Amino acid sequence: MGLFGKEEDNANAEHHTESAGGPVLVGAIKLGTANSTITAGDKLIGTRSLVRKIYKSTAYERSTQVPDIIVGSTALEYEGLGELIYIVNKGVVKTKDAYYLVEYLFNHAKKFNKTEPKRMKIFAAAPSIAAENQKDELEELLKEFVEDVKIISEPLGSLIYHNWVTGVCADIGHGTTDFTLIHQKLAVKDEMGEVVADTIPMGGRDIDFAVQQSIKRKYGVEVPLEECMRIKEEYCGPYYENIVLGKEIPSLAENVITEEGIAEMIVIDKDIVASVNVIIDHIARKIVELIGKSPFSIRKHLYGAILLNGGISSIRGLEISIRKRVAELANLDLEQVNVILSQDPLHASILGAKKAAEIVFK
Ligand SMILES: Nc1ncnc2c1ncn2[C@@H]1O[C@H](COP(=O)(O)OP(=O)(O)OP(=O)(O)O)[C@@H](O)[C@H]1O
Ligand SMILES: [Mg+2]
């Protein structure tokens, strides 16, 4: 069976420990709606969380060079062939198909680690409210590859990476946003003793839909979601801040590819860039709700330390909108609320998970 995809590398610190039977490598893995990443010694290897399955019914089809299973970004290149599967949906890993992607990531990591995955101990970052059976399934899947696995919530990984001891982290990904609250390095609990955390089905994909609708309203053309995702990354990322601060944006003419496959020249205006606003209220409301469930004495500290992580925290100005909305909803002065964008939106959670693994597995 053929397997292939594309990878991106990123520098990071290496860490080995010794245990009986040779060196053990400690690392972390993250499976997300849009991206999945694994640590490989001093590197990070990541790819799109996609699997394409191609069923070949005839001898002729079987004789072609196209593999049966294609994973990662390459899966996008075979439009119309077979079935394209997103391996994570609403924060839940669809285990059977995820196997191919996990296998691909471990195979790549192995090249860099020079250690068999079976000698690895890893932390896997999962949504804050993954149900026990979902965590068990993820653990079971990963145990087929490694010596030991522990599950950590993704936003907790980000808080660890940023060395925060008290605060709220909203990890805004493609399909979901995950919330975790800590105080003095421990998970915050409500008056019933339950951990205060949540996941909502809201993220980058909702902005992509809003971009799509905005273009359709204005130009009457249907632009595929993949193209809307690109527009979001290229234009909302740098220019949303202008909208929030009431500044003009430069005139941005752009060729977009429509559903019909035709290039159409459109102007990326302020309405399209403002599509980011569709997520603001949902995220701010959940932050206020969760802080409201926390012990009264620490709420002030939590409002003062809100961290935004995940790919969407690459959008500059997002912290300004969320801060304003949180202050409004909680009836606080702006000065009492602090919202900060991640120092490494796409990697903080996995790097924090790795840091936790180094402490626990040492
Ligand atoms: N520079 C950027 N500007 C705007 N958006 C970006 C940028 N870089 C990435 N994104 C968006 O971030 C999202 C991916 O983020 P991330 O990798 O954190 O998601 P995920 O973990 O795969 O998803 P989930 O947490 O929902 O499972 C996508 O919507 C992507 O388009
Ligand atoms: Mg994520």
Side-chain angles (χ1 to χ4, degrees):
M1 177 191 304
L3 266 181
F4 67 96
K6 275 182 192 163
E7 75 213 61
E8 312 158 0
D9 298 343
N10 195 296
N12 173 31
E14 198 164 353
H15 188 89
H16 287 265
T17 65
E18 292 286 332
S19 83
V24 168
L25 199 73
V26 173
I29 191 167
K30 171 218 128 160
L31 303 176
T33 311
N35 303 300
S36 292
T37 314
I38 192 167
T39 59
D42 60 348
K43 289 187 181 304
L44 282 179
I45 295 170
T47 191
R48 298 289 303 273
S49 307
L50 296 169
V51 171
R52 190 185 288 277
K53 283 190 194 166
I54 299 174
Y55 308 98
K56 295 174 181 168
S57 49
T58 66
Y60 171 73
E61 283 169 350
R62 282 191 290 276
S63 73
T64 61
Q65 294 293 310
V66 180
D68 311 326
I69 302 283
I70 308 172
V71 301
S73 345
T74 316
L76 283 173
E77 288 167 18
Y78 289 79
E79 210 166 323
L81 268 187
E83 185 192 2
L84 188 64
I85 301 155
Y86 285 80
I87 64 144
V88 178
N89 187 22
K90 301 203 169 97
V92 178
V93 176
K94 296 192 251 167
T95 314
K96 256 173 64 196
D97 299 316
Y99 181 90
Y100 300 111
L101 192 100
V102 171
E103 182 185 50
Y104 167 84
L105 288 173
F106 276 113
N107 279 342
H108 269 278
K110 191 171 136 185
K111 279 196 257 165
F112 290 100
N113 287 338
K114 298 182 189 73
T115 304
E116 282 300 315
K118 272 284 168 213
R119 301 295 300 143
M120 274 185 91
K121 293 186 177 187
I122 59 163
F123 262 48
S128 342
I129 52 145
E132 285 310 315
N133 65 330
Q134 289 160 359
K135 287 187 198 166
D136 290 348
E137 273 183 37
L138 181 62
E139 216 175 301
E140 218 166 277
L141 165 69
L142 294 170
K143 274 205 171 130
E144 289 192 36
F145 296 89
V146 296
E147 190 175 305
D148 204 353
V149 186
K150 288 199 182 343
I151 309 286
I152 182 174
S153 101
E154 257 200 88
L156 180 58
S158 309
L159 289 163
I160 292 171
Y161 174 82
H162 288 87
N163 288 315
W164 283 26
V165 292
T166 293
V168 180
C169 177
D171 186 302
I172 316 171
H174 191 58
T176 56
T177 299
D178 267 358
F179 302 83
T180 289
L181 289 72
I182 58 166
H183 180 61
Q184 300 302 341
K185 293 191 181 175
L186 295 175
V188 170
K189 292 186 177 162
D190 65 16
E191 56 189 18
M192 307 293 287
E194 296 276 342
V195 169
V196 181
D198 212 346
T199 299
I200 58 172
M202 175 67 47
R205 188 163 40 194
D206 297 277
I207 302 174
D208 300 348
F209 276 122
V211 166
Q212 192 180 47
Q213 280 171 10
S214 183
I215 295 175
K216 193 172 178 184
R217 258 199 315 273
K218 198 148 288 175
Y219 296 94
V221 290
E222 194 90 40
V223 177
L225 274 181
E226 281 294 330
E227 187 72 344
C228 295
M229 186 172 180
R230 178 183 71 79
I231 292 170
K232 173 192 64 188
E233 291 175 10
E234 279 180 29
Y235 297 101
C236 299
Y239 295 113
Y240 178 69
E241 191 172 29
N242 288 40
I243 312 278
V244 173
L245 297 174
K247 290 188 193 158
E248 287 295 308
I249 56 170
S251 168
L252 307 164
E254 168 74 26
N255 254 324
V256 294
I257 307 296
T258 67
E259 256 339 325
E260 286 87 34
I262 305 161
E264 178 117 6
M265 185 66 86
I266 67 165
V267 174
I268 309 291
D269 63 6
K270 123 176 174 301
D271 292 339
I272 297 175
V273 178
S275 300
V276 176
N277 287 336
V278 295
I279 64 168
I280 302 296
D281 190 62
H282 297 273
I283 292 168
R285 254 174 220 287
K286 189 51 82 175
I287 291 172
V288 172
E289 178 197 316
L290 294 175
I291 295 179
K293 286 183 178 169
S294 310
F296 187 80
S297 60
I298 65 167
R299 288 182 198 167
K300 178 172 99 200
H301 302 294
L302 295 172
Y303 278 116
I306 299 166
L307 175 70
L308 304 181
N309 192 64
I312 294 306
S313 66
S314 314
I315 298 177
R316 295 211 311 267
L318 185 72
E319 77 285 17
I320 304 171
S321 300
I322 294 200
R323 182 186 188 205
K324 224 176 111 203
R325 192 70 189 122
V326 165
E328 276 167 15
L329 290 166
N331 252 324
L332 294 169
D333 291 335
L334 210 49
E335 290 64 42
Q336 293 172 284
V337 180
N338 276 309
V339 184
I340 287 161
L341 295 181
S342 175
Q343 287 168 26
D344 193 346
L346 288 166
H347 308 119
S349 67
I350 188 168
L351 295 176
K354 189 185 180 207
K355 204 161 146 186
E358 284 162 1
I359 296 163
V360 170
F361 288 130
K362 219 164 178 177

